Amino acid sequence: MTQKIVSMKQVNYAYENKHALKNINFEVPKGSFMGLVGPNGGGKTTLIKLILGILKSHQGSIDLFGTPIDKFKDWNKIGFVSQKANSFNRGFPATVNEVVSMGLTAKVGYFKLFTKEHKQKIAHAVEQVGMSEYLHENIGDLSGGQQQRIFIARSLVSDPELLILDEPTVGVDTENVQKFYDLLHSLNEKKNITLLLITHDTGTMTHHATDIVCLNKTLHFHGNPLEFSNLSEKDLSQFYGHPLNVVTHNH
Amino acid sequence: MLESFFEYEFLQNTFYTGLLIGLIAPLLGTFIVVRRLSLIADALSHVTLAGIAFGLLIEKKFAIGITPFYTGMAFSVIGSVFVEQLRRVYKAYQELAIPIILSGGVGLSVIFISLANGFNTDLYNYLFGSVSAVSRSDLWMIIAISIIVLTTLFLFYKELFMLSFDEEHAVVSGIHAKRIHFIFIVLTALVIAASIRIVGVLLVSALMTLPVAAAIRIAKGFKQTILFSIIFGETSVIIGLISGYYFEIPPGGTIVVTSIIILLLSISIKKIWFILSRKKAIQ
Ligand SMILES: Nc1ncnc2c1ncn2[C@@H]1O[C@H](COP(=O)(O)OP(=O)(O)O)[C@@H](O)[C@H]1O
Ligand SMILES: [Mg+2]
């Protein structure tokens, strides 16, 4: 039996006056590349914020690596690239090297300095995303797609087993989106990193993902990309609440 | 100057204090600026003014010897705790903490000052700084504050840096954001209290932000920004103190004007450099 990296059972979550997630049963098997799609406001970000422990006080159970979330301590097994990553303060004076080093801060721990090995790890992570020549450039001087790669490097540097990405390709041009998926693909295949990816480009994603999940308050679909592409227009538009011809297979 | 420097203890006190705050104010200021908290320094300096006025009042009415420097410091630290609380209450309007704390500080100052039937030159010195206001015991206190600030920043450097850049990411990774915010704001309060004797209430935040504003234009990365900020801060303090002494102007004024000149220079240098390198890139 494959290990379950994330396992949610009967999860409900409500904001002050908004029931955002309803009866979610959801599993992320080890080694999978899971694509999470759904309309805006469907609760995708809420779902991963629960997994990351940013949002608390849900109903139901969430297990991470087989441990109930309130007892879970190995947070550096999980890397996270936030939806907001590309809306950070662009004037912030930090080099690529400094930004990626933040991925190790928690792992290194309080009152300790970065060692030579840590610095090598940082350089290696930057190399993995193909940005070595920018190591000492200010992050604000890079393009959106390049910045996105740096944020991935930041989440890779602590050797996570699960990488969660929230709409990482928003604002990235088509050519770079392709490269970006190639990078994710190789992380998944070669480094055996489990991926959970929130995205709107269902077209490109279906070529790489092993599982696709559709979320609109409740889970509407959970299957492999083939089954997803066989969904009828009617199923999809019903699920999105509007016709979807803009989003599917637009590559 | 050199002669009088060795002759008068007060000049030595002032000069050493100047060197210390020229280091710690821009150092902490770098974090303040990138976290967009520049105005919080202003709010806290006005709370410090209230504390100073309170100290002067007590001195005058009861002849109790706690110096205004210490009451100022106490008010500043208490004010910083309020700032953190307010920022938590008004999550979506964090800058609201600034007018609340600032006006509170000024309001209290006015009350204390009028209760004491007005003050003399002392208050003027506190507002604009003075080259002759630092006593030996103040200097020791400022040395202690500097050591605390430097050690704490060294110990929490990477966590503070991470919190400043991306708070959500820091929290997800398990950094104790609340505690570190708290430590940080208390340090800010201490640095403000330490700087006030020399630059004065009204200009203390300038010493924390102007050198950083100049550094940010030309530095690559965060560490370099800190380094340049400190160089600019020290330069402003040294030039400002010497010219203030010669022309008998409160050093707050001369220090700030020097940092503004440095800021203008760094903006122009960056502009010229930008134009030149663009020409090169186009060829
Ligand atoms: N902090 C919040 N407070 C109140 N409601 C929220 C908050 N964040 C999200 N919501 C609501 O919860 C629903 C799900 O939002 P979200 O998880 O961000 O959706 P998605 O990421 O799929 O676009 C939306 O209706 C949104 O308005
Ligand atoms: Mg979202």
Side-chain angles (χ1 to χ4, degrees):
Chain A
M1 197 187 91
T2 43
Q3 196 198 338
K4 301 287 181 271
I5 302 284
V6 179
S7 160
M8 300 180 116
K9 288 203 184 77
Q10 284 298 316
V11 170
N12 278 278
Y13 186 83
Y15 292 102
E16 257 169 65
N17 46 17
K18 168 105 199 170
H19 194 173
L21 293 175
K22 191 175 160 196
N23 295 336
I24 306 289
N25 292 295
F26 176 63
E27 281 178 343
V28 182
K30 189 176 171 65
S32 59
F33 181 159
M34 186 160 286
L36 181 56
V37 299
N40 282 324
K44 304 180 296 295
T45 301
T46 307
L47 183 82
I48 62 162
K49 281 188 172 171
L50 282 172
I51 296 175
L52 291 162
I54 300 174
L55 294 174
K56 296 185 173 77
S57 71
H58 54 273
Q59 287 176 1
S61 74
I62 303 177
D63 289 2
L64 302 174
F65 296 87
T67 312
I69 192 165
D70 44 319
K71 299 210 175 65
F72 186 74
K73 290 269 167 0
D74 290 328
W75 288 105
N76 55 47
K77 279 189 183 170
I78 303 179
F80 172 47
V81 180
S82 128
Q83 188 170 9
K84 283 189 291 186
N86 46 16
S87 66
F88 71 103
N89 169 11
R90 274 180 152 260
F92 197 105
T95 61
V96 165
N97 185 45
E98 286 176 321
V99 171
V100 175
S101 79
M102 290 185 239
L104 281 174
T105 297
K107 197 172 186 177
V108 171
Y110 287 107
F111 312 130
K112 294 204 189 85
L113 300 174
F114 291 123
T115 63
K116 218 172 163 189
E117 281 106 274
H118 293 132
K119 285 175 185 150
Q120 280 164 359
K121 275 192 151 197
I122 293 166
H124 180 65
V126 176
E127 195 188 316
Q128 263 187 304
V129 297
M131 291 291 293
S132 291
E133 57 182 304
Y134 298 96
L135 196 61
H136 299 291
E137 294 298 318
N138 271 338
I139 179 92
D141 294 339
L142 306 181
S143 74
Q146 291 174 321
Q147 285 169 355
Q148 205 51 265
R149 285 168 169 259
I150 300 307
F151 290 117
I152 299 207
R154 180 180 70 173
S155 60
L156 286 177
V157 71
S158 59
D159 297 322
E161 292 176 38
L162 168 66
L163 185 55
I164 300 179
L165 306 113
D166 192 352
E167 299 194 26
T169 52
V170 170
V172 177
D173 56 76
T174 351
E175 187 198 346
N176 283 308
V177 167
Q178 195 50 52
K179 282 193 197 155
F180 179 78
Y181 276 102
D182 293 342
L183 169 65
L184 292 185
H185 196 86
S186 82
L187 291 175
N188 183 239
E189 294 261 292
K190 300 209 179 86
K191 308 211 97 193
N192 201 24
I193 297 176
T194 308
L195 295 175
L196 176 56
L197 170 72
I198 297 183
T199 184
H200 283 296
D201 6 277
T202 39
T204 326
M205 197 254 303
T206 45
H207 294 292
H208 299 279
T210 57
D211 293 74
I212 293 180
V213 170
C214 298
L215 179 70
N216 189 4
K217 191 170 172 185
T218 61
L219 284 187
H220 284 253
F221 170 84
H222 186 168
N224 62 39
L226 191 66
E227 292 164 324
F228 181 73
S229 15
N230 288 340
L231 284 180
S232 68
E233 294 267 301
K234 191 165 148 275
D235 288 340
L236 276 175
S237 59
Q238 198 182 7
F239 150 62
Y240 271 90
H242 60 81
L244 192 74
N245 39 19
V246 218
V247 190
T248 37
H249 302 264
N250 60 346
H251 47 102
Chain B
M1 169 98 188
L2 215 58
E3 247 169 62
S4 23
F5 179 74
F6 288 112
E7 198 173 330
Y8 299 115
E9 192 189 270
F10 78 85
L11 278 185
Q12 296 166 18
N13 294 344
T14 304
F15 194 70
Y16 295 141
T17 303
L19 290 183
L20 287 171
I21 63 171
L23 168 69
I24 57 176
L27 169 61
L28 202 67
T30 310
F31 291 96
I32 291 178
V33 169
V34 298
R35 303 180 69 187
R36 304 177 191 274
L37 293 179
S38 304
L39 288 170
I40 291 226
D42 249 323
L44 285 180
S45 69
H46 286 80
V47 175
T48 314
L49 176 66
I52 288 166
F54 182 71
L56 289 170
L57 171 67
I58 290 190
E59 229 174 28
K60 191 167 174 185
K61 293 269 154 153
F62 306 101
I64 298 174
I66 34 165
T67 69
F69 176 50
Y70 291 93
T71 47
M73 193 158 72
F75 270 58
S76 182
V77 171
I78 294 167
S80 71
V81 176
F82 274 112
V83 167
E84 266 313 280
Q85 294 301 332
L86 283 171
R87 275 160 53 80
R88 227 166 275 161
V89 174
Y90 292 104
K91 272 208 179 92
Y93 298 99
Q94 297 200 340
E95 72 278 8
L96 261 184
I98 295 161
I100 296 174
I101 293 289
L102 192 142
S103 54
V106 174
L108 283 176
S109 309
V110 170
I111 292 176
F112 293 140
I113 290 170
S114 63
L115 279 181
N117 303 319
F119 298 116
N120 38 32
T121 49
D122 263 359
L123 192 67
Y124 182 77
N125 285 345
Y126 278 110
L127 286 179
F128 302 111
S130 155
V131 285
S132 58
V134 185
S135 70
R136 216 3 89 103
S137 78
D138 289 351
L139 175 61
W140 284 117
M141 192 62 204
I142 288 163
I143 291 174
I145 289 177
S146 305
I147 292 173
I148 293 172
V149 170
L150 290 173
T151 337
T152 318
L153 281 186
F154 180 74
L155 289 177
F156 290 103
Y157 172 80
K158 63 184 188 319
E159 285 82 11
L160 253 176
F161 174 55
M162 191 181 184
L163 265 181
S164 311
F165 184 75
D166 184 346
E167 177 152 356
E168 184 182 61
H169 180 245
V171 172
V172 171
S173 322
I175 302 292
H176 296 91
K178 272 189 197 168
R179 276 174 237 179
I180 293 181
H181 273 309
F182 183 77
I183 293 174
F184 177 78
I185 198 88
V186 171
L187 288 186
T188 308
L190 289 175
V191 170
I192 287 170
S195 312
I196 266 178
R197 300 309 312 252
I198 289 188
V199 277
V201 169
L202 297 178
L203 297 171
V204 63
S205 70
L207 186 60
M208 304 182 99
T209 52
L210 293 184
V212 185
I216 245 173
R217 296 292 303 169
I218 52 179
K220 273 242 181 322
F222 197 70
K223 285 205 171 122
Q224 214 179 74
T225 305
I226 291 182
L227 181 71
F228 286 177
S229 303
I230 291 172
I231 293 172
F232 296 157
E234 292 287 12
T235 312
S236 312
V237 167
I238 293 169
I239 295 177
L241 276 181
I242 293 174
S243 54
Y245 175 74
Y246 268 115
F247 301 117
E248 294 178 17
I249 300 169
T254 48
I255 290 173
V256 168
V257 170
T258 314
S259 13
I260 287 183
I261 293 172
I262 293 177
L263 177 66
L264 292 177
L265 282 177
S266 105
I267 294 176
S268 340
I269 288 172
K270 171 83 189 221
K271 271 239 168 77
I272 294 168
W273 184 81
F274 179 77
I275 292 169
L276 288 180
S277 62
R278 197 170 52 175
K279 262 194 185 148
K280 223 165 120 196
I282 285 174
Q283 285 163 5

